[in-house]
Amino acid sequence: MARVPFVPRRRLVEEILGAQNSVLIEAGGGFGKSVLIEQVSARTANGLEVRLPRTHPVTVDELTSTILNDTPHPPTGRPRPTAAAERIGELLARPGVPGLLVVDNAEALTDDAAAWLADLAQEDARPPLRILVASRLLPAPLAAMEFSGTAERFNTQDLRLTQEEATALARNELGDPDGERLATTLHDLSGGWAALLLVMLRRLARTTDRMAAATVLLRHPGLIRQLMDHYAADLDPADRRMLIQLAAFPLVNDILVTGLGQPGLLQRLIRAGIPFAVGADGWSRLCVESRQTLAALAPLDPAIARQAAPLLTSQGAELAAAGILVDSGTPEQAARLVADIPTARINQLDPVEFIHLMDRLGPAAEAAPQVLLHLARTHRNLGQLTEEREVIGRALRIVREHHPDDDLAIEIESEWLIQRALLHDTNALTRTEHLLENTAEGTRAQASLLEALGIALADRPDGPSLRRAENAMRQAAITWGELGEPARVAAVQRALATHVLSAMGKTGEGAVLLRRIGATSDTRFDRMLCLVMEARLLALGGETERPLTLLDDAIRLAELLHIDWVTGHAAWTRLIVAAGDHDQPGVLEHLAAAEAGLGQILIHAGSGLLFLCEAADACATVGAGQTAARLLTAAREHSVEDPRTLALTEAFIQARAGEPEAADTLQTMLENGEIAPCLRWKAELLTGYARHAAGRIDAAAHCLQTTLDRAASLGHPDLLDRREHRIAGILRSAIRLPPALPDHDLPAGGDTYDIRVLSGFEVRRGHTLLHGTGRASQLVKHLVLAGGSVRVETMVEMLWPDEMSGVGQRRLKNVLTRARATYGPLVNRRGQLLCLSSCTVDLHAFEDLARAVAAAQDGERIHRARTAVTAFTGPLLPDDLYDDRIAQRREVLCQRVLGLIDVVLTAALEAGDTEEATDRLESAMDLDPYDQERPLRVARALVAAKRYLEANDLAARVIAAANDLGVPYAVEWDELSLSPLDRARAARHAAGPLPRTTTRGPLPATGASRPAVRHSRR
């Protein structure tokens, strides 16, 4: 007679009945498999149910007889298996009503019987039947149905009672008030194990003071032991003893028990009903309460622990292996095991479990510096920055006492130096460089120190330091790769992207690097880090949509990994995006989320101050002045940690308010090299805004032009429109463009002066070339550079800087006389002003076109930039090599042209137009022959377009120029996957090694000539 179901399992019943395929249920004893089957059968209108005995193996004949004997017309003899299958199919194939064959206790089936049952659900000759099989351990032919796609499997985790089901059961056994009050506590204690919960409830039902009795049950392991004894009653003594030993293991599987010399033990235990839960990872686990109770019966044998530890480690269960060594009383062995875990595995391990294991190791961990290094990385993963620094400090004290000179000691000191560099300790750089001088190449120590050097140099905003930092980080990644440490390579490259490339303003290149690291990573933690960092770099580069998508993906991974600081960091990035959109409610909302979720990052010396400063500037951007003031006040409390960042932020906010002093502060910081390249565009823009507020319109327009040049050189010509579109719009509206002059309004050809100062000096009047020399020509040149008019005393100072004023005045009269004789009325004196007559100047025409580029946006800007670049015919007055004023103006003009070229080059690369990109690159290389960044960008585009020959030519030119001039070439060329490039590298190595740097090498010595390395493109 069927038992009354103890609690409805509606969710499971509906899932089983709604399944399209057969259903397999595999769970240990006491999880209500039989009760669940009864509930399913009660809902099945057309079904057959058979409960097999566990006392002996059930063959095919016995199985078919048992099934058919329960039918309305059982057979008189023993039917053949084929005939039995056909008969069962007929019984279950009633039209309109789905049939179901239910088999309980399937662990009793022989392999042949299990295979016959599986065939019923997979037979091709007739419509397959649906079967429902329940078993403590599924026979192999039935288990295979899950992998063939003909069955779905429910395991122990699925059969555990939910909180609602446990409450319903408690009400049935104890009544509503006590059941409601005690259900949660008892459910937590039992872990949803139905048998244990039912025993506890029935014990409580016999007591008068149920609350007091429940308190006793919580501390009494006898119930679990009673249940385990019940299920283990038929095991032989050896199996019972080994069960107690296995209970000390957090997870077991067949490979482990076979390695311990007990093949088949796990199956025997599960068949007996011991409630092992088989997880999705293939490991079997006992609930914690069962483990603790059984393990208390006898201590873990140290010999078994030592035998099991390497078996667990070989299967990727290092923490479990170390845990059983601690439980067996050998924590020193556990510490050695942890110390030998590769760095690549640390990010794959559960950080909370790892820290818990370190607590259990105690003094054994404190005496192992490599273990402490792993622990520090784990704290970093959890965002516990204070704990990370403290653990590194402990490790450093140990190695200084016992291992002062080995690679591990230097590696740990490198980690400490990185921490000091992040705290802006100026001594960290000096110490790192000193250690590097005495460290062998290609060692772990050198790789660690190069990483520390990169972080220390990244704190310096000047270009040479940042290029050294980039070179050091790339060399560190190469060395770690040669040492077989892919995890360290990824970590260094992440730091390269977020600390160095970000500071240099190469946010696009950094985002690409992070995307590549994340795509090749084999751990969810590394992918999550790359998503978070890539989103930040893209937001800093002015993108809005992709960062938000990346952050959503990162948060989902963080939730799976139980990492809580990602939510706050994501809010920080979203705050930057909202500020770019001028969304005040969004900025304030994300600010609150960031302050609530950043945890220790918020108070960390480096990151915390940076967050406060960026958040304050974002609030000022959207007009939330009071909030910006609050954040600045908090930042000032940490000003000693990074006074430069704080001073820059204060100047930014003051410039937004139109304070002229802020413009002077920013200009001074720019001239002194105190602003990192990633923020120079912003400093120039806000300087221009403050100048505009003071009525200095021309100075503001000049600042806007410089801003565009800086943004274009970073590969983001539209950066100011994405991040500061309101201020950029105000400055654009203030630019004074020259009126278009129709051709018929120009003066008559005979009296028109045409002056050329680009690519040479030439003065024409009409069609006549006028030849001037000496001071007369210099007078015209300086007037052109000054915009057409100069005060007399200023011109005297330009022409004769070391002469007394009176002497210069007399000499100027003579020069004016010679100028009139040579150039006619081109130069006039009007009181105290020297002026040029009406004339056209190629320099002024180019500058007008460049100014029009600054006033344009989007596609129009690119079109005007192309026009302006075409109007630039060559360098300014190239023959005037020794005039400092002209040389300075020539360099400014060169940077202006390079900025325009960068606008067009970036647009061409984004559009995939490699033809235009290579054309523009040629122009840029003429002006800046020592630059390697633009050639790298174009070379990568050529490789992506599979134009390998052209990429090879470009790479060979750059490397040849570097070698001929003694200039180091960029390590990025080593990262290009170009087989033709190998020949150029081989030639370079044959000529002898040169140090490698990145992007731009130093200029050759004064007087050195540039070799002709330009070749025709294919």
Side-chain angles (χ1 to χ4, degrees):
M1 180 177 177
R3 296 168 295 171
V4 177
F6 65 91
V7 64
R9 308 298 302 273
R10 294 186 182 90
R11 177 183 59 84
L12 287 175
V13 171
E14 294 297 336
E15 289 184 11
I16 292 171
L17 292 175
Q20 298 297 316
N21 299 315
S22 297
V23 175
L24 311 173
I25 300 175
E26 182 180 47
F31 281 93
K33 299 185 296 299
S34 298
V35 173
L36 178 59
I37 281 180
E38 291 173 2
Q39 295 183 11
V40 173
S41 297
R43 292 278 306 277
T44 305
N46 182 29
L48 297 175
E49 179 181 352
V50 58
R51 192 180 306 275
L52 301 176
R54 296 197 184 99
T55 55
H56 62 275
V58 177
T59 64
V60 176
D61 290 340
E62 186 177 354
L63 174 61
T64 57
S65 299
T66 303
I67 295 174
L68 293 176
N69 285 340
D70 290 337
T71 62
H73 303 289
T76 55
R78 175 169 294 179
R80 291 179 294 105
T82 304
E86 293 175 355
R87 175 61 177 158
I88 293 170
E90 294 172 359
L91 293 171
L92 297 180
R94 187 183 308 169
V97 181
L100 184 66
L101 173 61
V102 180
V103 179
D104 196 8
N105 300 332
E107 66 269 18
L109 293 173
T110 64
D111 284 346
D112 289 343
W116 177 85
L117 184 60
D119 286 341
L120 289 180
Q122 303 178 87
E123 185 63 51
D124 295 332
R126 52 174 171 72
L129 304 178
R130 289 183 67 231
I131 61 174
L132 170 61
V133 177
S135 178
R136 290 176 175 178
L137 181 67
L138 286 168
L142 292 172
M145 294 175 63
E146 178 186 7
F147 302 103
S148 65
T150 58
E152 301 175 21
R153 187 167 75 107
F154 290 72
N155 59 22
T156 303
Q157 292 297 116
D158 300 305
L159 266 64
R160 292 179 187 271
L161 293 179
T162 65
Q163 178 65 61
E164 292 76 14
E165 291 168 343
T167 302
L169 182 59
R171 286 171 175 165
N172 290 342
E173 298 293 331
L174 303 179
D176 288 348
D178 288 343
E180 187 75 31
R181 187 165 59 250
L182 296 173
T184 301
T185 301
L186 296 177
H187 177 263
D188 292 342
L189 174 63
S190 67
W193 185 10
L196 178 57
L197 181 59
L198 198 57
V199 169
M200 289 191 293
L201 289 171
R202 288 174 179 172
R203 285 282 185 97
L204 292 176
R206 296 195 295 267
T207 63
T208 55
D209 189 349
R210 291 173 176 172
M211 289 300 298
T215 303
V216 173
L217 283 177
L218 291 174
R219 298 182 175 89
H220 184 46
L223 291 178
I224 297 177
R225 191 177 305 167
Q226 175 185 334
L227 280 171
M228 300 303 288
D229 287 342
H230 166 73
Y231 289 117
D234 295 331
L235 295 174
D236 61 47
D239 284 352
R240 289 174 65 90
R241 177 184 177 277
M242 199 60 190
L243 169 61
I244 294 173
Q245 292 294 297
L246 290 181
F249 289 56
L251 37 83
V252 296
N253 61 13
D254 287 328
I255 298 175
L256 176 64
V257 296
T258 301
L260 294 176
Q262 302 289 332
L265 173 62
L266 185 57
Q267 286 82 356
R268 293 196 297 274
L269 296 177
I270 293 175
R271 285 178 184 275
I274 305 300
F276 280 99
V278 182
D281 54 5
W283 292 98
S284 296
R285 297 171 175 84
L286 277 172
C287 65
V288 175
E289 295 78 17
S290 301
R291 286 183 54 225
Q292 293 173 345
T293 302
L294 288 174
L297 297 177
L300 177 61
D301 187 339
I304 292 179
R306 288 193 298 271
Q307 188 180 0
L311 296 170
L312 290 166
T313 301
S314 66
Q315 298 180 69
E318 297 94 335
L319 297 186
I324 64 170
L325 289 173
V326 174
D327 293 338
S328 69
T330 56
E332 293 78 12
Q333 292 186 21
R336 287 195 292 272
L337 185 151
V338 173
D340 291 338
I341 297 176
T343 307
R345 280 288 296 158
I346 295 300
N347 288 347
Q348 296 175 329
L349 302 176
D350 185 298
V352 177
E353 288 186 15
F354 189 87
I355 292 173
H356 177 64
L357 175 63
M358 295 303 100
D359 291 337
R360 295 174 60 200
L361 284 175
E366 293 298 321
Q370 183 63 61
V371 173
L372 293 177
L373 203 57
H374 289 336
L375 178 60
R377 290 193 178 95
T378 304
H379 281 304
R380 181 192 311 165
N381 294 347
L382 287 173
Q384 298 171 348
L385 306 180
T386 301
E387 288 84 348
E388 178 195 5
R389 280 202 305 272
E390 193 270 333
V391 171
I392 292 175
R394 289 184 350 232
L396 185 62
R397 288 193 294 271
I398 294 173
V399 297
R400 283 179 174 173
E401 292 176 4
H402 303 290
H403 316 279
D405 298 322
D406 64 6
D407 274 9
L408 179 60
I410 297 179
E411 185 177 348
I412 291 176
E413 182 158 7
S414 300
E415 292 288 342
W416 178 250
L417 289 170
I418 288 174
Q419 295 296 320
R420 300 314 305 168
L422 292 173
L423 294 173
H424 309 288
D425 185 346
T426 56
N427 296 324
L429 178 60
T430 304
R431 176 62 178 167
T432 304
E433 291 176 327
H434 173 72
L435 290 173
L436 264 174
E437 291 176 357
N438 303 310
T439 302
E441 292 188 3
T443 61
R444 295 179 64 90
Q446 186 204 36
S448 301
L449 286 171
L450 284 171
E451 183 178 356
L453 178 65
I455 297 295
L457 287 168
D459 190 43
R460 299 190 169 196
D462 60 286
S465 294
L466 289 173
R467 286 191 288 275
R468 280 188 64 202
E470 183 180 6
N471 179 55
M473 299 293 272
R474 292 187 185 275
Q475 292 286 14
I478 292 171
T479 305
W480 281 124
E482 293 171 348
L483 292 170
E485 285 276 14
R488 296 300 297 268
V489 173
V492 171
Q493 289 179 326
R494 282 196 301 269
L496 167 65
T498 55
H499 287 85
V500 183
L501 296 180
S502 175
M504 298 177 76
K506 299 180 181 180
T507 54
E509 183 178 337
V512 171
L513 177 60
L514 290 169
R515 197 173 309 143
R516 186 169 71 243
I517 300 171
T520 57
S521 173
D522 57 353
T523 69
R524 290 186 297 185
F525 181 82
D526 288 341
R527 290 197 294 273
M528 179 203 72
L529 282 182
C530 289
L531 288 171
V532 172
M533 296 173 181
E534 182 186 352
R536 173 171 170 80
L537 290 188
L538 291 176
L540 292 174
E543 294 195 32
T544 56
E545 295 182 1
R546 181 162 171 75
L548 302 181
T549 302
L550 295 176
L551 291 174
D552 291 339
D553 295 340
I555 289 175
R556 281 192 288 270
L557 282 175
E559 290 173 348
L560 292 174
L561 298 169
H562 307 293
I563 305 294
D564 56 3
W565 59 264
V566 174
T567 303
H569 208 290
W572 181 358
T573 302
R574 289 183 173 124
L575 180 147
I576 296 172
V577 174
D581 291 337
H582 212 73
D583 176 10
Q584 185 185 87
V587 167
L588 297 178
E589 176 186 351
H590 297 313
L591 172 63
E595 290 181 306
L598 278 173
Q600 288 193 16
I601 296 178
L602 185 59
I603 59 175
H604 186 259
S607 301
L609 183 62
L610 179 62
F611 165 75
L612 292 171
C613 288
E614 285 190 354
D617 184 57
C619 290
T621 301
V622 298
Q626 291 183 345
T627 306
R630 173 180 67 82
L631 294 168
L632 267 185
T633 301
R636 291 188 185 105
E637 296 176 0
H638 303 278
S639 60
V640 67
E641 296 158 1
D642 190 2
R644 186 177 63 238
T645 297
L646 177 61
L648 182 61
T649 304
E650 289 178 326
F652 281 167
I653 293 176
Q654 292 167 2
R656 292 185 191 281
E659 298 183 17
E661 296 82 2
D664 296 336
T665 300
L666 291 173
Q667 191 64 44
T668 301
M669 295 181 76
L670 283 166
E671 293 172 356
N672 294 339
E674 299 179 55
I675 302 177
C678 62
L679 290 176
R680 288 174 191 165
W681 69 271
K682 189 170 185 174
E684 289 283 4
L685 183 71
L686 291 175
T687 298
Y689 184 71
R691 300 283 192 228
H692 177 271
R696 300 174 58 185
I697 305 303
D698 290 339
H702 175 74
C703 288
L704 178 61
Q705 286 183 303
T706 306
T707 300
L708 288 168
D709 293 343
R710 294 193 187 277
S713 68
L714 299 177
H716 299 289
D718 55 350
L719 182 59
L720 64 165
D721 291 309
R722 292 180 173 182
R723 295 287 307 276
E724 298 283 355
H725 60 89
R726 185 183 67 86
I727 290 179
I730 292 174
L731 294 185
R732 279 197 177 93
S733 65
I735 293 179
R736 297 167 178 166
L737 295 177
L741 189 63
D743 293 341
H744 57 77
D745 288 341
L746 291 173
D751 295 327
T752 302
Y753 281 100
D754 184 12
I755 303 176
R756 181 170 63 86
V757 292
L758 299 179
S759 74
F761 178 66
E762 185 178 277
V763 179
R764 289 180 178 273
R765 188 175 187 182
H767 300 292
T768 303
L769 178 62
L770 305 179
H771 299 280
T773 59
R775 299 291 183 185
S777 297
Q778 292 302 111
L779 175 67
V780 175
K781 293 174 185 178
H782 284 300
L783 282 170
V784 167
L785 298 186
S789 64
V790 176
R791 293 188 63 83
V792 170
E793 58 269 23
T794 302
M795 181 60 72
V796 169
E797 177 64 24
M798 290 178 180
L799 296 178
W800 301 281
D802 299 324
E803 292 292 344
M804 297 180 62
S805 177
V807 175
Q809 292 276 0
R810 290 193 297 272
R811 291 180 176 179
L812 179 61
K813 292 180 181 179
N814 296 330
V815 171
L816 286 173
T817 300
R818 291 197 298 271
R820 291 190 186 96
T822 302
Y823 300 117
L826 175 62
V827 180
N828 301 300
R829 179 168 181 170
R830 301 171 185 170
Q832 292 301 310
L833 281 180
L834 294 175
C835 304
L836 288 175
S837 300
S838 177
C839 60
T840 61
V841 180
D842 57 354
L843 172 64
H844 297 167
F846 167 77
E847 290 179 333
D848 289 342
L849 292 171
R851 196 177 303 116
V853 175
Q857 298 184 60
D858 305 325
E860 184 185 0
R861 180 198 297 129
I862 298 169
H863 172 71
R864 290 189 177 186
R866 287 193 180 100
T867 304
V869 169
T870 303
F872 180 78
T873 57
L876 175 68
L877 298 172
D879 297 327
D880 291 76
L881 299 177
Y882 306 107
D883 189 308
D884 292 340
R885 292 179 183 272
I886 294 176
Q888 183 177 6
R889 182 66 178 275
R890 184 187 301 119
E891 178 61 25
V892 171
L893 184 65
C894 178
Q895 294 304 316
R896 176 86 271 253
V897 177
L898 286 171
L900 295 170
I901 291 175
D902 283 327
V903 172
V904 182
L905 178 63
T906 300
L909 291 175
E910 289 178 352
D913 188 349
T914 52
E915 292 293 339
E916 182 176 19
T918 50
D919 288 340
R920 300 306 176 185
L921 177 63
E922 294 293 342
S923 301
M925 292 177 73
D926 286 339
L927 294 172
D928 193 1
Y930 310 109
D931 171 50
Q932 296 184 38
E933 182 176 340
R934 294 183 190 89
L936 270 169
R937 292 168 59 194
V938 175
R940 286 171 177 150
L942 290 171
V943 171
K946 298 183 179 181
R947 298 171 64 170
Y948 300 114
L949 291 178
E950 294 175 68
N952 176 59
D953 283 349
L954 180 56
R957 286 174 56 193
V958 173
I959 293 176
N963 290 339
D964 291 343
L965 295 176
V967 176
Y969 75 87
V971 297
E972 293 99 323
W973 294 106
D974 284 337
E975 299 174 2
L976 280 178
S977 300
L978 283 175
S979 56
L981 186 57
D982 293 338
R983 294 193 297 272
R985 292 177 186 146
R988 202 269 312 170
H989 289 303
L994 280 172
R996 289 177 292 181
T997 184
T998 58
T999 56
R1000 300 174 190 265
L1003 294 177
T1006 303
S1009 60
R1010 179 168 60 89
V1013 296
R1014 182 175 180 179
H1015 306 294
S1016 61
R1017 291 182 295 105
R1018 300 188 185 185

